[in-house]
Amino acid sequence: MNRSIFAKTNEEKNLFLCALRGLAVAAICALALALISSVACVCLEDPDKYIKIFALICLFASAGIGGHIAARAKGKTAFLCGSIVGIMMIGVITLLCLIMSLPINMALFAICAPTVLVTAILGAVTGVGKQKKPKRKKKKF
C-alpha cells in the first residue's frame, strides 16, 4: 500500500495532511486579503473605524477557503475536515498572540472562535459538493 503524501485514492489520503494543506492555503489567503484590505483602509478618511471589520472579514474568508481546500483534497468527510482546519486556525492565532504577548479580548474570542469553525465547515461542505463525477462509459452497440 502506497503511504505517500500524494496518494491517488480517497482512502489513502491522510486527513491531517489535507487539513494542513488547507491551513497553509488559508494562511496565504489571509495574508493576501490583509494586504488588500490594508490598502483599502488607507484610502478611507478614517481607517481606524474599519480596521477590525476588515480583519474579521479576512479571518472568516480565509477560514472558509482553508476548509474548502482541505475538503476538496480529502474528497470526503467535509464536517471533519472543516472542523480540523478551524481548530488549527484558532490554535495558530492563539499561539501567535501568546508568543508576541498580545492581549486576547475574551469577548471577541468567544464570538470569533465558533464563527471561524462554522465558516471553515461551510467552506468544507462546498468543497465536497464540487467534486468531479466520474464520466459514464458509452456503450457500443
Side-chain angles (χ1 to χ4, degrees), residues 3-121:
R3 293 275 182 187
S4 68
I5 295 174
F6 306 106
K8 300 296 181 193
T9 63
N10 288 338
E11 291 84 324
E12 292 182 13
K13 290 184 180 177
N14 191 351
L15 179 66
F16 181 73
L17 291 177
C18 292
L20 200 60
R21 179 186 301 171
L23 180 67
V25 170
I28 292 169
C29 288
L31 290 174
L33 288 172
L35 180 67
I36 293 169
S37 65
S38 66
V39 170
C41 268
V42 169
C43 294
L44 297 172
E45 290 179 16
D46 188 17
D48 291 337
K49 288 194 279 186
Y50 303 106
I51 289 174
K52 290 182 183 178
I53 295 170
F54 280 130
L56 290 175
I57 290 171
C58 292
L59 175 66
F60 300 146
S62 64
I65 292 169
H68 181 85
I69 295 297
R72 191 162 178 130
K74 177 69 177 163
K76 295 181 183 177
T77 63
F79 184 79
L80 191 59
C81 284
S83 60
I84 289 174
V85 170
I87 290 170
M88 288 170 70
M89 282 188 71
I90 293 167
V92 166
I93 291 169
T94 306
L95 284 174
L96 285 174
C97 287
L98 292 175
I99 288 172
M100 292 191 278
S101 301
L102 296 174
I104 297 174
N105 186 353
M106 292 310 276
L108 186 62
F109 185 78
I111 294 170
C112 288
T115 310
V116 167
L117 281 173
V118 168
T119 54
I121 291 170

